[in-house]
Amino acid sequence: MQVETGIVQEHFDIGSGYRRLTLSAPTVCPQVKPGQFIHLRVPGLGESLLRRPFSIYRAEAGAISVLYKQVGKGTRELAFLPVGGYADFIGPLGNGFPLPHPENCIPVLVAGGYGVAPLSLLARNMDLKGIVFVGGRTAEDLLCLEDFKEMGWALEVTTEDGSAGLKGRVTDALDAWLSKGQKAIVYACGPDGMLEAIDKRLLQHELPGWLSLDKHMGCGVGACLACVQRVHTEDGGTRWKRCCCDGPIFAAGEIDWEFGKDAS
Amino acid sequence: MNTSPDMSIEIAGIPMRNPVMVASGTFGYGVEYADMVDIGSLGAVVVKGICMEPCDGNLPPRMAEVPSGLVNAIGLQGPGVKGFVENYMPFLRQHKTPVIVNIWGRTIEEYANVAAAFDVVEGIAGLELNISCPNVKEGGVSFGTDLRMAAKVISAVRRSTKLPLIPKLSPNVAGIGAFARMAEDEGADAISLINTLPALVIDVETRRPVLRNGVGGLSGAGIHHFAVKQVWDASRVVSIPVIGMGGIYEPDDALRFLLAGASAVAVGTANFTEPRTAMRVIAGMEDYVQRHEYGSIRDVVGMLQYGQVKP
């Protein structure tokens, strides 16, 4: 984990309000594992704004790329960062997906929205090819499909409005595949609701898997305790884990999805 | 002038290499920031609040970002005395930087017990007393906003430990001076202020509080000049040292506290965004001492020229 100041090498629209930002990162880049993130200081927003966490989409040639959508104050301001400008970040952070992937089972990737970014990096770091399920509300939410085609992965696309691929949720397509009963490990990244639905299926099919959570973070390094997630413990109880440094990748069956849901 | 200026200071009998600490709750237990911050360069590390047993804290969301800083309701999640001593003290003892443990309790007895437990732990320089906790025995009212209850807590802790004792005062009171004087009367070796200001962040779409706890504590840039005023008020009525905190991002922010009468400062919320803020603040304060040709940083304390506004 280090603080590094990067020079913006690329920063462009990739469609539908999503953007790709590439920063030089000679120190951090070689340390990156798929599933890790950087905690980026958005320039121009004054000193009191927190950093923003972004999953790492590419880490190559001494640079790091992230994908983001303009959804709030931080990302709207970030969009103005010019090529040649500077931004500093802390990274690489988080535990990352466990690698290598075991030889004897099929890698299955499940992405919701921009959750596809770390999974694309994961696929590039795997020797095996598997299948990837990418889901979104509409065709505009589908990113990085070409990445997987180029790598020779099987691709299943779903949209909730039917504007691309199968109409429905990404878990509908996943269900059809899982029912074949093949030996697999699932890697998923997307909104909590999607991850919870996948987690239930993995339990049902007795398959191993890894879930990458997207949470609001404060410090990003485990000090502020803002991004805690309740998990099951071996003795049958539950406890907090910090999403930033104990996660953001959690094992299938580890998360206690019910904790705190009542009385809200 | 190439020699580095004299930045050393003694607070509550604790010698520090400089007057810049990191505030409780904003620096974890030190180890979280060890890759990025030279712990050995800090005046002291004040660790996150500890009570007797492990504490789960509040349900998330626990933190809300606001234009002027942060509102948090973490709920004092922590490992308890035993968990802290076993898991974090071995790391903290490796550095020559004083370790100040922030302690809290739900009852006066628990405060006293936590203090007594730390009295026998090697490597602890002092105790900061968080009195802004709900008093479970008296209807959940904060100890820190009731002069009589706050005095009872400080007095009980004073009798339970020989360690230097630093009550952290709540700003949520009518007159901070009375609380400062009371702390000195009850045997405090120093006081620190301010704790966070009570705040409510509302999501207008859902018409609910953003934080699961409802209310939280405001920290950061928005409270800085208020905190300076509180320190100025408190420092004029006590003879024990005052540690100032609230919205320090730049060296000038820290210097304001010193000019207002604080002998030392703590960097808090800024650590989350810029972990190396304290190091930058120390460097800027050194520069200030040299530029103004002070003999030491101690000579800056209380030098506010109030009432002498330049035309």
Side-chain angles (χ1 to χ4, degrees), chain B residues 57-74:
Chain B
N58 294 329
L59 289 172
R62 292 172 161 189
M63 187 183 277
E65 196 174 46
V66 293
S68 53
L70 291 178
V71 178
N72 89 81
I74 305 297

Side-chain angles (χ1 to χ4, degrees), chain B residues 165-305:
Chain B
L165 184 59
I166 310 167
K168 184 171 185 174
L169 302 187
S170 167
N172 192 27
V173 296
I176 195 80
F179 282 80
R181 265 197 311 270
M182 172 275 293
E184 181 169 23
D185 290 346
E186 296 299 340
D189 300 286
I191 50 174
S192 61
L193 63 153
I194 60 171
N195 210 323
T196 55
L197 283 161
L200 171 61
V201 186
I202 298 171
D203 181 330
V204 296
E205 294 301 323
T206 64
R207 305 185 304 277
R208 287 168 181 266
V210 170
L211 300 179
R212 185 68 179 265
N213 184 60
V215 298
L218 174 66
S219 64
I223 72 168
H224 173 62
H225 299 282
F226 171 77
V228 170
K229 166 71 160 61
Q230 296 274 99
V231 162
W232 186 59
D233 287 345
S235 65
R236 284 177 296 153
V237 298
V238 295
S239 56
I240 52 176
V242 174
I243 303 166
M245 62 197 72
I248 298 178
Y249 292 81
E250 300 298 329
D252 283 5
D253 302 330
L255 288 162
R256 272 182 212 110
F257 279 115
L258 262 59
L259 291 169
S263 300
V265 296
V267 174
T269 302
N271 291 318
F272 293 150
T273 303
E274 287 298 342
R276 295 177 297 191
T277 301
M279 295 165 72
R280 198 179 73 244
V281 166
I282 292 163
M285 292 170 85
E286 287 177 355
D287 178 60
Y288 182 86
V289 169
Q290 290 186 328
R291 278 193 294 114
H292 290 267
E293 298 181 350
Y294 282 109
S296 88
I297 191 70
R298 299 181 297 278
D299 297 337
V300 180
V301 174
M303 291 304 283
L304 171 67
Q305 303 298 298

Side-chain angles (χ1 to χ4, degrees), chain A residues 82-176:
Chain A
V83 170
Y86 296 87
D88 90 75
F89 52 89
I90 302 172
L93 296 174
N95 52 2
F97 290 108
L99 282 175
H101 177 84
E103 290 284 335
N104 54 357
C105 59
I106 302 166
V108 175
L109 312 184
V110 190
Y114 54 79
V116 73
L119 296 176
S120 172
L121 182 62
L122 177 68
R124 285 167 72 96
N125 280 264
M126 277 186 185
D127 296 327
L128 284 174
K129 297 186 197 320
I131 182 165
V132 55
F133 296 86
V134 182
R137 268 191 291 273
T138 77
E140 294 195 331
D141 297 318
L142 304 170
L143 304 178
C144 309
L145 302 184
E146 292 303 317
D147 295 352
F148 296 101
K149 287 180 192 161
E150 280 168 20
M151 286 186 273
W153 282 58
L155 176 64
E156 292 266 3
V157 172
T158 63
T159 52
E160 285 171 37
D161 66 356
S163 54
L166 187 76
K167 183 175 178 177
R169 292 174 183 268
V170 73
T171 40
D172 299 334
L174 180 66
D175 282 338

Side-chain angles (χ1 to χ4, degrees), chain B residues 110-144:
Chain B
E110 186 177 4
Y111 272 105
N113 291 340
V114 176
F118 279 119
D119 211 35
V120 294
V121 176
E122 184 203 333
I124 290 172
L127 299 178
E128 183 180 60
L129 194 57
N130 177 5
I131 54 173
S132 303
C133 308
N135 174 358
V136 298
K137 275 197 179 166
E138 301 214 0
V141 177
S142 168
F143 285 106

Side-chain angles (χ1 to χ4, degrees), chain A residues 1 3 41 47-52 88 90 219 221-226 228 230 240 259-260 262 264, chain B residues 28 32-33 35-36 48 56 58-60 62-63 65 67 70 74 77 208 212 249-250 272-274 276:
Chain A
M1 177 202 314
V3 189
R41 176 102 191 250
E47 57 197 8
S48 62
L49 202 86
L50 292 168
R51 288 171 184 265
R52 296 288 188 263
D88 90 75
I90 302 172
C219 66
V221 300
C224 76
L225 307 181
V228 291
R230 203 73 181 179
W240 295 119
F259 192 85
D262 52 343
S264 60
Chain B
E32 294 87 346
Y33 281 108
D35 283 358
M36 292 180 284
K48 186 162 172 58
D56 255 351
N58 294 329
L59 289 172
R62 292 172 161 189
M63 187 183 277
E65 196 174 46
L70 291 178
I74 305 297
Q77 183 185 330
R208 287 168 181 266
R212 185 68 179 265
Y249 292 81
E250 300 298 329
F272 293 150
T273 303
E274 287 298 342
R276 295 177 297 191

Side-chain angles (χ1 to χ4, degrees), chain B residues 73-138:
Chain B
I74 305 297
L76 295 165
Q77 183 185 330
V81 173
K82 186 165 174 282
F84 167 72
V85 171
E86 286 178 7
N87 298 324
Y88 297 106
M89 277 311 291
F91 167 82
L92 289 164
R93 284 191 195 105
Q94 292 169 19
H95 306 275
K96 285 182 180 156
T97 300
V99 176
I100 296 172
V101 179
N102 180 290
I103 65 167
W104 65 278
R106 296 172 188 83
T107 63
I108 290 173
E109 295 73 38
E110 186 177 4
Y111 272 105
N113 291 340
V114 176
F118 279 119
D119 211 35
V120 294
V121 176
E122 184 203 333
I124 290 172
L127 299 178
E128 183 180 60
L129 194 57
N130 177 5
I131 54 173
S132 303
C133 308
N135 174 358
V136 298
K137 275 197 179 166
E138 301 214 0

Side-chain angles (χ1 to χ4, degrees), chain B residues 30-42:
Chain B
V31 65
E32 294 87 346
Y33 281 108
D35 283 358
M36 292 180 284
V37 179
D38 177 7
I39 306 287
S41 72
L42 303 173

